[in-house]
Amino acid sequence: MSTFVKNRVFIPGLLFLLFFSLLIPAGVSKAAEPISVADAIANNSGTATVSGYIVAHTTGNNSYDFEAPFGNDHNVALADSPNERDKSKLLPVQLPASFRSEFGLQTNPDIIGSKVQVTGSLETYFTVPGLKSLTKMTFVDGEDSTPKAAAPVSSVTPGAVSSGTQISLTTEMENGTIYYTTDGTDPSENSTRYAEPIEITQDTTIKAIVIADGFKDSDIVAFSYFIAVSGLQIHDIQGASHYSPYENQYVADIEGVVTYVADAHNLYIQSMTPDRNPSTSEGILVYKRNHGLSPGDAVKVSGQVKEWVLEGYSEKLKTDLPVTEINASSITVTATGQALPKPVEISPLKGQPTKIIDNDQFKTFDPWQDGIDYYESLEGMLVKVAQPKVIAPQDYGELYVVSKYTLVNTLAKGLRISANDYNPERLIIDIDDSSFVTKPGDSFTGDITGVVSYGFSNYRIFSDRDSLPELKEGSLKQEKTKFKKHAKKLTVASYNVENFSPKVSEEKTTKLAKAITENLNQPDIIGLTEVQDNDGATNSGNTDASQSYQVLIDKIKELGGPAYAYTDIAPNNNEDGGAPGANIRVGFLYNPERVSLSEAPKGTANEATGYENGKLTLNPGRIDPENEAFNSSRKPLAAQFTFNGDDVIVINNHFNSKGGDLPLFGKTQPAVLSSEEQRIEIAGIVNQFIKDIQTKNKQANIIALGDMNDFEFTKTLTTLKGKEMTNMIDLIPSIDRYTYAYQGNLQVLDHILVSKNLTLRTGVDIVHINAAFMEEHGRASDHDPVLIQTMLK
């Protein structure tokens, strides 16, 4: 017997109910009654029609504007009362495009206070209960048409004021009476009747209302005043520190002249009466919506002092230094057309540090020694750089320069980092123009002026593109290798081809192929890094890269190069880092007319190769691919080749990136390089693999190459070298030693190491064709290739 039959219960009235339900037309349902805003907030799920008043425009988490002008037509906030100001009682509503022309507050500011009914989905919006996915929105007819009294107006803009300030309240209503409170309660006709100016002697919020015969009561208006510190100048607010001694306090009548307008809401002012302390800045950022000011305006600013983190990366609140600003409640223009202060010159001849960023963890503010303190002492000030020399290609609208009086340390006329010097003298000129073309060795014929600020983890100088002096182009050109083809010498290159797949432009493919054919003179073996799978950054599950290699091989042959063969091992999908779905890997091109891949089974993504009887057990094969050290990073690929009867093992590497490292000019000093730990561990695994080979064959020819994502002087490279290998990069004179440029610093990330038995037989060449150049110069990747030529034993 089934469970259903066994548990049946007979209810006599059930048949009647079923029969009656058949008499009701199927399409008839009872419309849901509108609910209040309070109910919508308390029960924020499902579909409902909400009745309430439009009281505000909302722009984000607990951010509401109650008065015009409004920023856009995208959102409104509803309340059960037209005068509601308690944010916890407001319901943010997202307006679809079809509703904005009628209900958007930027277009229709006069609908504030109107009653509406809105049908949509009750769900979280801006992290609080909200209403989205609207299907209907209408004004409620039949409302009381009695006009509302005009709200009261204050004689003093709310915000920072001096103690003793007199506040006068007025109304345009001839028969209106103003009532107010100062205790936080809402005013009514039972509150204090306004009769004379209100003196502010402490932080006070005045709430006021106008009551007039024949009119609805006006909106309740709140005027908040904060007793400000007066008699200060900008250098007092800035102080000799990275944080203002007046942070979060209110200040009044701070005088200065506008030196730079960043946008409609942000500007910089500078004192015309500086002190004699070079450690305290005379400039400051001011925030005021729609300020309408211009350079040369003399102003008095009142508001709250803030330490504000400006634009930056997603982790900026954890990593970046703030900028001292005045969040202005009022700005008074006292004069226009004033002469700007004489800019401070930034130069080593004028005290600019050239070696130390910070050496005391912010314990001592010493701008004459620490670069990070030096730029803070100029924050917000007008500065100039004398006839700047360009030290790196423009990137993201940033120019990387130094003063004409600054010494450079490379043949390219750029600045290269070293173990104890990350070049605090390099300057970032933010012109917000990514089309401006520069390279090291270029220079400006005149001075660049601007204001010092901070963003994206670096101090920077804001300057206008149109005000730049003429740029004089330098002599730097893309190089060709010094190595000539030689029957008895093997050439091996390392080249990061920067996310290459068949989906890149024909131009990039041609540039890469031309570089291999002409600039590198057709190496016998090329260790490639950042080869993507056939469909690039499409997360299809595919990991095969045969087409990626073939399109490059075909172009090389078309341009007169050899018919290269390739070998690699496809990674497991999305396990080796890089763009999701792209499956970047390391692999090899080799010229089969010059070298051959030694006979052995090819490994898989999870198999580890070894070395037995003079041969790799898998060829190519990955080194310990299931070791946790390689999580979300590329696994080293070892391949054994034969050249003129001699074997050589080449290990291609692409160590984990520097993602997660703290910035050089960040708020943690010294910068914590958290990514380095994984690279050191990977380097140790590769070195151990080399040791294992050499214990079985002391004369084995071994080459380790690739993008190590670390510098020649780091523990990563010393670990990889051990006692077994020579980093050929170390043999390149420091004035020519770089493969990459980052934020104006030239540096080495790409390396080729050889076993000690090859050191004296090997030459090395960094072929500078990318790192110091822009695409307009012929750049095809962000890394320079490295090349060796060697005679095998």
Side-chain angles (χ1 to χ4, degrees):
M1 182 179 293
S2 71
T3 303
F4 173 75
V5 174
K6 183 177 180 180
N7 292 314
R8 277 187 303 179
V9 177
F10 180 73
I11 302 175
L14 181 60
L15 290 176
F16 172 76
L17 292 173
L18 291 172
F19 173 77
F20 181 76
S21 68
L22 295 175
L23 301 179
I24 302 175
V28 175
S29 63
K30 186 177 181 181
E33 292 294 328
I35 64 174
S36 67
V37 171
D39 288 339
I41 293 173
N43 303 286
N44 197 240
S45 63
T47 301
T49 298
V50 181
S51 180
Y53 295 90
I54 298 175
V55 297
H57 175 252
T58 179
T59 57
N61 297 348
N62 284 313
S63 178
Y64 298 94
D65 289 332
F66 295 95
E67 297 180 1
F70 301 107
N72 57 48
D73 287 331
H74 297 172
N75 309 288
V76 298
L78 301 185
D80 287 325
S81 165
N83 298 321
E84 186 62 71
R85 294 294 185 271
D86 186 341
K87 295 179 181 180
S88 67
K89 297 180 181 179
L90 304 186
L91 182 76
V93 178
Q94 184 183 54
L95 296 180
S98 59
F99 290 82
R100 293 172 188 168
S101 62
E102 185 176 2
F103 297 97
L105 285 174
Q106 186 181 56
T107 303
N108 310 282
D110 57 329
I111 67 172
I112 279 285
S114 298
K115 191 171 186 179
V116 293
Q117 286 187 358
V118 189
T119 302
S121 173
L122 293 172
E123 56 185 280
T124 299
Y125 189 36
F126 291 134
T127 73
V128 297
L131 186 63
K132 301 172 68 175
S133 304
L134 306 194
T135 58
K136 186 176 181 181
M137 185 170 183
T138 58
F139 291 107
V140 176
D141 296 327
E143 288 294 300
D144 185 358
S145 60
T146 303
K148 184 185 292 186
V153 176
S154 171
S155 60
V156 179
T157 303
V161 295
S162 299
S163 181
T165 298
Q166 301 284 321
I167 308 297
S168 297
L169 302 179
T170 57
T171 177
E172 64 184 47
M173 306 299 297
E174 292 184 2
N175 63 340
T177 302
I178 300 174
Y179 295 89
Y180 73 93
T181 64
T182 57
D183 61 0
T185 61
D186 288 342
S188 66
E189 60 183 350
N190 297 320
S191 302
T192 303
R193 179 173 177 170
Y194 176 78
E196 59 184 4
I198 305 165
E199 183 177 5
I200 305 299
T201 58
Q202 60 183 2
D203 293 352
T204 302
T205 295
I206 301 171
K207 287 188 175 183
I209 191 172
V210 174
I211 298 177
D213 292 340
F215 293 85
K216 294 179 184 177
D217 294 351
S218 76
D219 291 337
I220 296 174
V221 183
F223 306 104
S224 295
Y225 298 97
F226 307 94
I227 300 301
V229 181
S230 57
L232 297 178
Q233 296 195 51
I234 292 174
H235 52 251
D236 299 316
I237 296 172
Q238 286 282 14
S241 171
H242 287 268
Y243 294 84
S244 170
Y246 293 93
E247 183 180 359
N248 294 326
Q249 296 186 46
Y250 290 88
V251 295
D253 297 331
I254 305 302
E255 296 185 4
V257 62
V258 177
T259 56
Y260 184 80
V261 175
D263 55 36
H265 313 308
N266 294 275
L267 65 144
Y268 292 81
I269 66 172
Q270 187 165 327
S271 175
M272 300 301 291
T273 55
D275 62 11
R276 295 184 178 181
N277 183 358
S279 296
T280 57
S281 170
E282 300 294 341
I284 197 166
L285 171 65
V286 176
Y287 174 81
K288 183 74 168 70
R289 288 184 62 82
N290 303 312
H291 55 71
L293 298 172
S294 301
D297 288 345
V299 295
K300 288 185 177 181
V301 178
S302 298
Q304 188 178 25
V305 177
K306 289 286 189 180
E307 291 292 345
W308 197 257
V309 177
L310 301 184
E311 59 184 356
Y313 304 106
S314 59
E315 65 276 8
K316 65 181 182 179
L317 295 180
K318 296 180 180 179
T319 60
D320 287 10
L321 286 167
V323 172
T324 304
E325 72 167 28
I326 300 175
N327 191 337
S329 55
S330 67
I331 300 178
T332 303
V333 178
T334 59
T336 59
Q338 301 299 295
L340 301 188
K342 180 181 178 180
V344 175
E345 182 175 354
I346 295 181
S347 161
L349 302 182
K350 303 289 185 178
Q352 179 193 26
T354 60
K355 187 172 183 178
I356 298 170
I357 293 177
D358 177 83
N359 61 3
D360 54 30
Q361 296 81 53
F362 296 116
K363 293 177 182 177
T364 303
F365 193 77
D366 45 1
W368 52 90
Q369 183 179 78
D370 293 357
I372 201 165
D373 296 340
Y374 174 78
Y375 296 115
E376 178 66 21
S377 73
L378 297 172
E379 181 189 88
M381 291 186 68
L382 192 64
V383 298
K384 78 170 183 179
V385 186
Q387 299 177 30
K389 298 184 290 190
V390 178
I391 57 171
Q394 176 270 122
D395 197 21
Y396 294 105
E398 298 174 352
L399 308 180
Y400 303 100
V401 304
V402 292
S403 165
K404 73 172 184 177
Y405 302 111
T406 301
L407 297 177
V408 293
N409 60 9
T410 64
L411 294 175
K413 298 183 180 179
L415 282 177
R416 183 187 62 84
I417 64 170
S418 59
N420 298 308
D421 187 356
Y422 284 79
N423 303 318
E425 66 268 39
R426 65 188 169 90
L427 300 169
I428 299 175
I429 311 295
D430 191 336
I431 61 170
D432 194 27
D433 181 0
S434 58
S435 67
F436 198 88
V437 179
T438 61
K439 64 183 185 305
D442 295 350
S443 59
F444 289 91
T445 58
D447 301 343
I448 289 180
T449 60
V451 297
V452 176
S453 190
Y454 186 99
F456 288 99
S457 306
N458 275 293
Y459 286 95
R460 58 192 56 238
I461 298 171
F462 285 129
S463 187
D464 292 325
R465 163 68 177 84
D466 294 339
S467 68
L468 293 179
E470 180 184 354
L471 180 71
K472 180 182 178 182
E473 187 173 3
S475 59
L476 187 66
K477 304 293 182 185
Q478 290 177 298
E479 298 176 351
K480 291 186 177 180
T481 182
K482 63 186 179 183
F483 295 135
K484 308 298 181 183
K485 292 181 181 178
H486 194 291
K488 295 183 179 181
K489 293 183 179 181
L490 177 73
T491 54
V492 181
S494 175
Y495 199 0
N496 182 321
V497 291
E498 191 184 11
N499 295 319
F500 181 78
S501 79
K503 287 196 169 185
V504 305
S505 67
E506 174 72 15
E507 180 184 17
K508 173 166 180 166
T509 302
T510 301
K511 286 179 179 179
L512 289 171
K514 184 178 179 182
I516 290 170
T517 304
E518 297 181 10
N519 300 80
L520 302 186
N521 199 17
Q522 305 167 24
D524 300 315
I525 301 171
I526 307 172
L528 298 178
T529 56
E530 288 197 21
V531 177
Q532 296 184 339
D533 61 34
N534 294 335
D535 54 12
T538 300
N539 201 355
S540 63
N542 168 66
T543 62
D544 178 63
S546 57
Q547 296 171 28
S548 301
Y549 289 104
Q550 198 60 50
V551 70
L552 184 57
I553 290 170
D554 291 345
K555 183 59 70 171
I556 292 171
K557 188 174 181 181
E558 178 185 323
L559 296 178
Y564 281 104
Y566 80 90
T567 189
D568 79 350
I569 293 178
N572 294 318
N573 189 42
N574 287 332
E575 288 190 5
D576 284 13
N583 294 301
I584 57 172
R585 83 285 310 280
V586 297
F588 295 98
L589 298 184
Y590 61 96
N591 183 355
E593 296 182 359
R594 296 266 293 168
V595 298
S596 61
L597 190 65
S598 302
E599 291 287 336
K602 179 179 179 178
T604 64
N606 297 323
E607 290 181 297
T609 190
Y611 185 79
E612 298 292 343
N613 302 317
K615 300 290 183 183
L616 292 178
T617 57
L618 300 171
N619 191 30
R622 295 176 126 191
I623 297 175
D624 200 5
E626 296 192 314
N627 194 307
E628 291 184 357
F630 297 112
N631 286 349
S632 299
S633 187
R634 280 64 56 194
K635 286 65 176 172
L637 184 68
Q640 188 167 355
F641 299 93
T642 302
F643 173 71
N644 288 345
D646 291 313
D647 288 336
V648 59
I649 295 172
V650 185
I651 304 169
N652 197 354
N653 304 271
H654 187 190
F655 290 2
N656 62 291
S657 76
K658 290 181 170 292
D661 288 357
L662 295 183
L664 294 176
F665 278 87
K667 68 179 183 181
T668 299
Q669 293 294 330
V672 177
L673 309 179
S674 58
S675 70
E676 186 180 46
E677 182 178 349
Q678 183 180 4
R679 285 192 297 278
I680 293 171
E681 189 173 0
I682 290 173
I685 293 169
V686 177
N687 177 264
Q688 184 60 51
F689 182 78
I690 293 169
K691 285 178 179 175
D692 291 344
I693 294 174
Q694 291 186 343
T695 58
K696 299 169 184 176
N697 182 358
K698 292 182 179 180
Q699 296 304 313
N701 300 311
I702 305 172
I703 300 171
L705 53 76
D707 176 1
M708 311 305 182
N709 267 317
D710 227 334
F711 315 128
E712 70 274 25
F713 48 78
T714 61
K715 189 175 180 180
T716 299
L717 269 298
T718 57
T719 300
L720 180 60
K721 283 190 300 184
K723 297 180 179 179
E724 296 74 29
M725 306 289 282
T726 298
N727 188 359
M728 296 304 298
I729 290 292
D730 295 339
L731 305 184
I732 294 177
S734 62
I735 57 174
D736 198 37
R737 193 188 305 162
Y738 66 90
T739 68
Y740 193 75
Y742 182 67
Q743 294 183 346
N745 272 332
L746 299 179
Q747 53 201 253
V748 174
L749 296 181
D750 307 84
H751 304 261
I752 297 186
L753 296 81
V754 300
S755 50
K756 289 291 181 67
N757 61 320
L758 294 178
T759 302
L760 298 180
R761 298 168 171 262
T762 304
V764 62
D765 188 14
I766 300 175
V767 186
H768 297 302
I769 56 176
N770 295 318
F773 299 96
M774 295 177 62
E775 289 184 8
E776 289 79 358
H777 303 120
R779 172 185 177 132
S781 169
D782 50 352
H783 292 249
D784 283 336
V786 185
L787 190 66
I788 62 166
Q789 189 171 57
T790 188
M791 291 185 67
L792 301 181
K793 282 184 125 179

